[in-house]
Amino acid sequence: MLEAGELLVGQAFAVLHTTAHCPEQIAAKVEAQVLPGGAQLCPADLRRLLAATVLRVESEQSDAAAAEQRHADAAAERRTFSQPGVDGMGLAGAVLTAEQLRTWSAGLDELERTERAGDRAAGIERTADQRRADLFAALPAMVLAGRAGNTDCASTDITPTIVLNVHVPMASVLDLSSEPGSMDGHGPVSAEHIRLLRPTLLRRVIVDADTGRPVAVDDKTSRVAADPEAARDQVLAMLRPEVITDTAEPQHDPSTRLSRLVDLLDVRCAGPGCGSTRNHRDHHQPYPQGPTAAWNLGLLSARCHAAKHSGWTLVRHPDGSTTWTSPLGRTYSRPNPHRPPPRVARDTEPPPLRPPPTGTTPRWVTAAEPTPPVPPEVPEDEDKGESNLPQPPPF
């Protein structure tokens, strides 16, 4: 496909990198399912589609015990590292589990926002990246200072309140499907990995059965029962019919309830290749001509929002996909960020619960299902490969 001009270099690298850990037969199945249709996607979106397909194919063919062992072996490799650099600089980092990585990243973002306000008050000029680097370097000293200031170190809780949003089909929770879920800011997570998590709260999201697009989200969360059987009953109780209406609001800025739905609809900025999670809730049809309603709102980063008002045209399609047209007429497509939920007969009974693996206390772990390994996280460079396009977008 690359030789025939049907695939760009950046897209080819996306295929190679995402399937690098796969056995040959699984890699071939993934390519057959994703290509050639995926050749219409930018490299960043193609990587996400490939990652989800790899998890699904591996889940369908893997041995549960072997998959759990791979999870444990991978988690055992977590570590930190540091090394000197040039010009008085150095490099430091860590290899973490997906949950640890997202907790760390979300916490650092929250600290950076607080630091930003202090910089403004003090007249200090630092970029967001510089603030994050300074905070990263200061974190051990901050923790030690917090412990030193408390006479009972054992009772000191220094863990910030961080929310990790994990989206998972109910069929996968109930062990009726191997469809992977996703973690905000991280990407696809295998069904087996999700069953090994220990969530504290549940929030129901009602989606369109054909597209997977959210159409409503519960206002309140419910605390997960400690008993696995009771937790499963909680999930089953959410499977009730609802009448959904997209009611417009009179004001410009959406309410908290509507904002929550809009954030779930787009997940991230709708610009092709843009992975920003710090976005504006943009009216597609400008307010007040266009209402403040879910169908007329979407997420755009500051850069993509500016592009929309600087000659670029954005079209949002009913299935959740978007099409951008540059001032010179070139188009860029972005697919629906959601996948349709698995099709399961209404009268299908979930399999019996099985004992949790040694050393874990998961809420939902069910009887023998092929389980996938979690592939190593490949850092995403959202701009990688875009330079190969004849007219790259400003994203």
Side-chain angles (χ1 to χ4, degrees), residues 101-113 135 160 162:
L101 178 62
R102 284 305 303 148
T103 301
W104 177 87
S105 181
L108 196 65
D109 282 348
E110 187 62 34
L111 287 171
E112 188 275 328
R113 281 189 284 270
L135 284 165
I162 302 294

Side-chain angles (χ1 to χ4, degrees), residues 82-162:
S82 61
Q83 62 187 61
V86 297
D87 297 328
M89 303 298 288
L91 181 67
V95 178
L96 308 171
T97 66
E99 301 83 56
Q100 290 175 323
L101 178 62
R102 284 305 303 148
T103 301
W104 177 87
S105 181
L108 196 65
D109 282 348
E110 187 62 34
L111 287 171
E112 188 275 328
R113 281 189 284 270
T114 303
E115 197 81 348
R116 186 190 316 164
D119 280 3
R120 288 173 180 168
I124 298 174
E125 293 290 337
R126 284 190 296 175
T127 66
D129 283 339
Q130 289 169 345
R131 281 190 291 268
R132 289 190 182 93
D134 293 345
L135 284 165
F136 179 87
L139 281 175
M142 292 165 62
V143 172
L144 291 171
R147 289 183 173 179
N150 192 298
T151 56
D152 183 6
C153 294
S155 63
T156 303
D157 183 6
I158 59 170
T159 304
T161 302
I162 302 294

Side-chain angles (χ1 to χ4, degrees), residues 30-285:
V30 171
E31 288 186 25
Q33 292 184 24
V34 173
L35 300 176
Q40 306 305 314
L41 305 178
C42 68
D45 289 324
L46 180 58
R47 280 194 293 271
R48 293 188 181 96
L49 177 59
L50 285 162
T53 306
V54 165
L55 290 175
R56 182 173 60 253
V57 172
E58 287 183 329
S59 184
E60 293 169 353
Q61 299 190 9
S62 297
D63 172 74
E68 289 172 5
Q69 187 59 49
R70 284 194 295 271
H71 280 300
D73 291 344
E77 292 297 317
R78 62 191 185 278
R79 62 192 183 278
T80 62
F81 61 89
S82 61
Q83 62 187 61
V86 297
D87 297 328
M89 303 298 288
L91 181 67
V95 178
L96 308 171
T97 66
E99 301 83 56
Q100 290 175 323
L101 178 62
R102 284 305 303 148
T103 301
W104 177 87
S105 181
L108 196 65
D109 282 348
E110 187 62 34
L111 287 171
E112 188 275 328
R113 281 189 284 270
T114 303
E115 197 81 348
R116 186 190 316 164
D119 280 3
R120 288 173 180 168
I124 298 174
E125 293 290 337
R126 284 190 296 175
T127 66
D129 283 339
Q130 289 169 345
R131 281 190 291 268
R132 289 190 182 93
D134 293 345
L135 284 165
F136 179 87
L139 281 175
M142 292 165 62
V143 172
L144 291 171
R147 289 183 173 179
N150 192 298
T151 56
D152 183 6
C153 294
S155 63
T156 303
D157 183 6
I158 59 170
T159 304
T161 302
I162 302 294
V163 177
L164 300 183
N165 290 318
V166 180
H167 308 265
V168 55
M170 285 191 173
S172 296
V173 171
L174 297 172
D175 204 7
L176 297 173
S177 169
S178 296
E179 186 69 21
S182 65
M183 183 186 300
D184 282 358
H186 174 75
V189 181
S190 70
E192 182 64 21
H193 192 155
I194 287 173
R195 296 187 199 108
L196 293 171
L197 298 179
R198 295 183 292 278
T200 56
L201 298 173
L202 292 175
R203 189 190 297 275
R204 183 182 61 157
V205 179
I206 302 173
V207 304
D208 182 278
D210 294 323
T211 65
R213 292 271 287 170
V215 295
V217 56
D218 284 353
D219 291 333
K220 296 182 179 180
T221 59
S222 56
R223 187 161 293 278
V224 180
D227 178 68
E229 290 286 356
R232 175 178 283 189
D233 290 341
Q234 282 182 283
V235 174
L236 291 171
M238 292 181 174
L239 294 170
R240 59 180 184 268
E242 297 280 355
V243 176
I244 305 300
T245 57
D246 186 5
T247 305
E249 297 180 348
Q251 74 282 359
H252 176 275
D253 294 335
S255 64
T256 300
R257 182 179 190 182
L258 181 56
S259 296
R260 184 182 296 119
L261 176 58
V262 173
D263 292 348
L264 285 172
L265 278 168
D266 277 358
V267 181
R268 55 186 176 272
C269 173
C274 183
S276 174
T277 56
R278 294 183 285 273
N279 304 305
H280 303 162
R281 298 184 185 99
D282 170 64
H283 286 75
H284 182 51
Q285 297 178 10

Side-chain angles (χ1 to χ4, degrees), residues 312-372:
W312 289 75
T313 303
L314 166 62
V315 177
R316 294 182 178 272
H317 304 290
D319 66 353
S321 61
T322 58
T323 300
W324 290 75
T325 304
S326 75
L328 297 181
R330 183 170 180 86
T331 60
Y332 301 87
S333 297
R334 180 141 217 189
N336 175 12
H338 304 279
R339 297 186 299 277
R343 299 286 184 176
V344 179
R346 295 179 63 87
D347 57 351
T348 303
E349 289 292 330
L353 290 168
R354 62 180 168 88
T358 303
T360 64
T361 54
R363 294 287 187 247
W364 300 299
V365 181
T366 52
E369 175 201 42
T371 58

